[in-house]
């Protein structure tokens, strides 16, 4: 149980293009999904928190116009990196919190490796 | 805000020995402390967690202890195996921040066969 998938697992795109990453909770409904960014050999950096049906809350320093987040259903959230540049190359990981009382756990997806050339 | 520190950053142990990773946190209101294992190129996997109303939790070879007074918690892995080699992250969270997780900086564990 508590499986989270991400698609694609790897993507290479050209500078200036946009890339969409999907995050799905496969066997549970998630009230809240989180998007993280991770640089090599570093910890996870929270980018934004998204709740189903409402606008995402972005962490300080994260450009909301560049990293568009949509949480259209209780099982799907998407992150779109718009006008990608080489500095956006990173490992993007989503997590999902199950919809239940007092639920605080986060289950992570396998991550998406984005390379912008 | 919450600040989580994790030590050591790297740890090498012989197969069969125990490994201990320690984390400290700054916000006494934090009440949930998960541990994640991350293998190279993969997402973090929840391996054990503890809430502030208990002092210890065990799951086979893995245990977590929590000292609320000192604001630190530790991961203990006994009878280590090569497949335990990975990066381990601790985290702390509390309800009134929307349960945002504050992660430690990670410990790279190598189990030497």
């Amino acid at each position: 149980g508590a499986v989270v998938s991400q698609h694609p697992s790897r993507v290479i795109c050209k500078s200036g293009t946009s890339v969409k990453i999907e995050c799905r909770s496969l066997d549970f409904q998630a009230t809240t999904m989180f998007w993280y960014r991770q640089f090599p050999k570093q910890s996870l950096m929270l980018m934004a928190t998204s709740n189903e049906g409402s606008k995402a809350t972005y962490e300080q320093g994260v450009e909301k116009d560049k990293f568009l987040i949509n949480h259209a259903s209780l099982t799907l959230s998407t992150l779109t990196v718009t006008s990608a540049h080489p500095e956006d190359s990173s490992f993007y990981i989503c997590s999902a919190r199950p919809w239940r009382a007092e639920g605080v756990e986060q289950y992570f997806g396998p991550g998406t490796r984005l390379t912008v050339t | 805000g919450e600040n989580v520190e994790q030590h050591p950053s790297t740890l090498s142990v012989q197969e069969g020995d125990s490994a201990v990773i320690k984390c400290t946190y700054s916000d006494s209101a934090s009440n949930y402390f998960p541990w994640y294992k991350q293998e190279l190129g993969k997402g973090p996997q929840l391996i054990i967690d503890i809430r502030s109303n208990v002092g210890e939790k065990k799951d086979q070879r893995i245990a977590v202890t929590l000292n609320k007074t000192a604001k630190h918690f530790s991961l203990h892995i006994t009878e280590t195996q090569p497949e335990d080699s990975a990066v381990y992250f601790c985290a702390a969270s509390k309800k009134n921040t929307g349960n945002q997780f504050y992660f430690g900086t990670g410990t790279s564990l190598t189990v030497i066969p």
Side-chain angles (χ1 to χ4, degrees), chain A residues 34 36 38 42-44 46 59 91 93 97 102-111 113, chain B residues 32 36 38 41-46 49 51 89 93 95 98-101 103-106:
Chain A
F34 303 84
Y36 294 83
Q38 187 177 35
Q42 292 192 24
S43 190
L44 291 86
L46 180 65
E59 294 301 300
F91 194 51
I93 312 173
R97 179 187 301 149
E102 302 302 315
V104 296
E105 304 87 4
Q106 288 184 33
Y107 297 96
F108 284 82
R113 173 75 58 194
Chain B
Y32 176 68
Y36 287 88
Q38 186 177 27
K42 297 184 179 180
Q45 177 189 10
L46 178 65
D49 56 8
R51 294 173 191 249
F89 290 98
S93 78
K95 213 166 186 181
N99 296 120
Q100 177 181 337
F101 281 14
F103 283 93
T105 48

Side-chain angles (χ1 to χ4, degrees), chain B residues 52-72:
Chain B
S52 58
N53 57 348
V54 298
E56 183 173 0
K57 185 176 178 180
K58 198 171 181 179
D59 182 4
Q60 299 182 337
R61 297 188 296 110
I62 296 173
V64 56
T65 59
L66 171 65
N67 183 324
K68 285 190 298 183
T69 304
K71 289 187 282 191
H72 67 70

Side-chain angles (χ1 to χ4, degrees), chain A:
Chain A
V3 178
V4 177
S5 71
Q6 271 183 252
H7 179 78
S9 57
R10 290 179 175 270
V11 57
I12 301 173
C13 70
K14 292 188 176 181
S15 188
T17 61
S18 295
V19 174
K20 181 185 281 189
I21 302 169
E22 290 187 349
C23 176
R24 293 181 185 271
S25 55
L26 297 185
D27 53 1
F28 65 96
Q29 292 183 323
T31 47
T32 306
M33 289 184 168
F34 303 84
W35 286 95
Y36 294 83
R37 186 173 178 175
Q38 187 177 35
F39 292 103
K41 299 187 177 182
Q42 292 192 24
S43 190
L44 291 86
M45 182 186 77
L46 180 65
M47 299 174 65
T49 301
S50 74
N51 291 292
E52 184 263 340
S54 61
K55 288 185 178 180
T57 301
Y58 290 81
E59 294 301 300
Q60 192 172 6
V62 178
E63 299 176 58
K64 60 183 68 177
D65 293 333
K66 179 167 191 60
F67 298 101
L68 301 178
I69 290 171
N70 184 280
H71 193 158
S73 75
L74 285 172
T75 59
L76 173 65
S77 176
T78 60
L79 167 68
T80 301
V81 183
T82 62
S83 187
H85 288 97
E87 55 266 31
D88 298 324
S89 298
S90 191
F91 194 51
Y92 292 89
I93 312 173
C94 71
S95 71
R97 179 187 301 149
W99 179 27
R100 59 169 174 262
E102 302 302 315
V104 296
E105 304 87 4
Q106 288 184 33
Y107 297 96
F108 284 82
T112 297
R113 173 75 58 194
L114 170 63
T115 303
V116 184
T117 60

